[in-house]
Amino acid sequence: MLDTRYQTFISTSGREMQPERMVLSQTLVSMGFFAWGLEYRSPLTTTLARRQIDESDYVILLLGSQYGEQSISGSSYFSLEYEYALSRAKPIVVFMHEQPESRDMHLQEAHPLLKEKFLAFRKKLLHDADHIFYFKSPRDLELAVRLNIPLIVEQHVGQGWVPARQAQQLEDEINLLKSKLLQLEQQLTSSTQANEVAPQDIFAFEYQIQAFQDGNFKELKRQRKMTWSQLLSILAKHFETAMPEENFGTCLNEYLNQAGLEDAREVLPRAHAVACAQINHKALFQIKKQMQSQGWIVPTKTEQHNLWKVTTKAQKILLSYKWNHRGTRLKA
């Protein structure tokens, strides 16, 4: 079994949680995790915090009895880090003091407004967070971490990190999976013959996307209908020069991240943003094979990669379509 180690981002309200933060960090390190985070925050550290969250497998919130230092917007850096982790779909674990009002007075929020914000944020976590564990003392915290973090890893397996000496083993496994995937695609290609389509024909496909509404996000499965000319127009922007095959999914997902809000609002009318779009893999395979069958894209082999690019035929089709429909807009 590979010696996988996971990266955790620790977010706390601030200095009043320094002893508990040290216990949490030391416990995680002793369990084989990498632990990092920012104890002192400012507007200059926001970008660094977000980068650390992006690179982490898990985000751990340590909530005591204070709301924490506030940003210019009035929200604490603590709550902003939580919201950002939520938007990036990171597994979030909350270790929360069971009775914050019982802590020493110098650890409490003195200002009524900040105390109100703290209670509101604590209530929000209690309502929204899936993994909340309580503690009263540093020893309770250590036991809660040792007991529950392994369970979280089992439920939400992260990408993790492995020692360099095991990189070759991973590479061999990846190459084996690629070979099996290629065999399956070849079998599917031989059993499925693409039908002739016209640029104005409609293709319907499913995709998943995260929609954000009222401070929460929901995973949605939506269907979108597009003409082949629209799909070709999206791909043509990225494949004018030879590009790797994985760019098919990347550019279509980027498009869905921009266009998917309209689809999301059919289910969540107050949705204000979408992210993490993922086109159905079968639909993506159909698009690639149909484009190749029509002679709109062609593979170009190099010594290291299989690259693809749009053909002159496809470019002429797009030019002709746009000229014949110059009174309308080609959405892509």
Side-chain angles (χ1 to χ4, degrees):
M1 184 176 178
L2 292 175
D3 181 21
T4 306
R5 299 183 69 180
Y6 297 103
Q7 186 79 46
T8 60
F9 179 86
I10 299 175
S11 180
T12 63
S13 53
R15 300 178 183 179
E16 95 285 1
M17 294 300 292
Q18 191 171 13
E20 289 83 359
R21 183 190 186 93
M22 186 174 297
V23 169
L24 175 58
S25 299
Q26 291 177 348
T27 304
L28 289 171
V29 170
S30 70
M31 295 170 65
F33 290 84
F34 293 115
W36 63 3
L38 302 174
E39 190 169 356
Y40 305 106
R41 281 91 117 207
S42 71
L44 298 177
T45 63
T46 299
T47 300
L48 177 58
R50 291 187 173 187
R51 185 164 67 245
Q52 289 183 354
I53 291 173
D54 287 337
E55 295 176 1
S56 294
D57 298 290
Y58 307 96
V59 172
I60 298 180
L61 304 185
L62 187 57
L63 183 64
S65 52
Q66 290 189 15
Y67 184 59
E69 187 176 358
Q70 297 178 85
S71 66
I72 298 176
S73 67
S75 298
S76 69
Y77 291 105
F78 184 37
S79 65
L80 291 176
E81 289 167 359
Y82 164 69
E83 294 292 346
Y84 183 75
L86 200 64
S87 72
R88 304 300 291 174
K90 294 289 181 178
I92 298 174
V93 185
V94 181
F95 290 99
M96 180 181 293
H97 198 285
E98 187 173 354
Q99 297 177 326
E101 69 280 359
S102 67
R103 303 184 77 203
D104 292 342
M105 289 303 298
H106 72 278
L107 300 177
Q108 305 277 346
E109 286 289 7
H111 196 285
L113 179 59
L114 292 180
K115 188 169 185 177
E116 183 180 338
K117 287 186 175 183
F118 164 76
L119 293 174
F121 182 60
R122 191 175 191 273
K123 183 178 180 181
K124 178 179 177 63
L125 289 178
L126 289 171
H127 181 269
D128 296 343
D130 294 325
H131 307 292
I132 300 179
F133 308 103
Y134 299 93
F135 68 93
K136 288 184 179 179
S137 67
R139 179 57 178 166
D140 290 341
L141 176 60
E142 180 184 352
L143 293 176
V145 172
R146 293 190 181 279
L147 177 64
N148 294 291
I149 289 298
L151 302 177
I152 298 299
V153 172
E154 289 182 7
Q155 295 179 43
H156 308 278
V157 180
Q159 182 177 358
W161 173 91
V162 296
R165 65 179 182 275
Q166 296 179 347
Q168 185 60 49
Q169 182 180 347
L170 278 177
E171 186 175 351
D172 292 342
E173 291 181 2
I174 291 172
N175 290 333
L176 179 61
L177 290 173
K178 285 183 176 179
S179 176
K180 290 182 178 180
L181 180 60
L182 180 60
Q183 292 176 7
L184 290 173
E185 287 187 347
Q186 289 174 345
Q187 293 174 6
L188 183 58
T189 301
S190 61
S191 62
T192 305
Q193 184 66 35
N195 298 319
E196 189 76 17
V197 296
Q200 67 272 20
D201 288 346
I202 300 292
F203 178 70
F205 61 90
E206 289 187 343
Y207 68 98
Q208 289 185 325
I209 198 165
Q210 292 177 0
F212 296 85
Q213 176 178 281
D214 301 334
N216 300 309
F217 79 92
K218 184 177 183 180
E219 193 85 29
L220 301 178
K221 181 178 289 186
R222 307 303 298 147
Q223 185 183 76
R224 192 165 188 84
K225 295 180 179 180
M226 300 178 66
T227 65
W228 284 103
S229 60
Q230 290 174 322
L231 291 167
L232 180 57
S233 179
I234 295 170
L235 294 173
K237 295 176 182 178
H238 295 264
F239 289 89
E240 290 181 347
T241 58
M243 299 294 291
E245 185 174 356
E246 54 264 26
N247 282 31
F248 281 101
T250 300
C251 67
L252 288 172
N253 289 336
E254 287 177 355
Y255 167 79
L256 292 171
N257 278 330
Q258 297 175 8
L261 183 59
E262 177 184 352
D263 298 337
R265 283 177 173 167
E266 294 177 359
V267 179
L268 302 175
R270 298 189 306 278
H272 60 84
V274 292
C276 301
Q278 189 71 40
I279 188 171
N280 178 278
H281 69 279
K282 291 184 179 179
L284 178 61
F285 179 80
Q286 285 182 271
I287 292 172
K288 288 190 291 186
K289 291 305 175 184
Q290 188 69 64
M291 294 281 181
Q292 185 180 11
S293 176
Q294 297 292 127
W296 295 342
I297 58 172
V298 291
T300 303
K301 288 187 176 292
T302 66
E303 293 183 359
Q304 297 180 339
H305 302 286
N306 287 330
L307 305 179
W308 293 77
K309 64 180 297 184
V310 295
T311 62
T312 303
K313 175 183 177 181
Q315 293 172 342
K316 289 181 178 179
I317 288 175
L318 287 175
L319 287 173
S320 174
Y321 189 85
K322 289 178 180 178
W323 176 258
N324 293 331
H325 298 77
R326 56 189 181 274
T328 60
R329 184 186 177 198
L330 182 63
K331 298 181 180 178

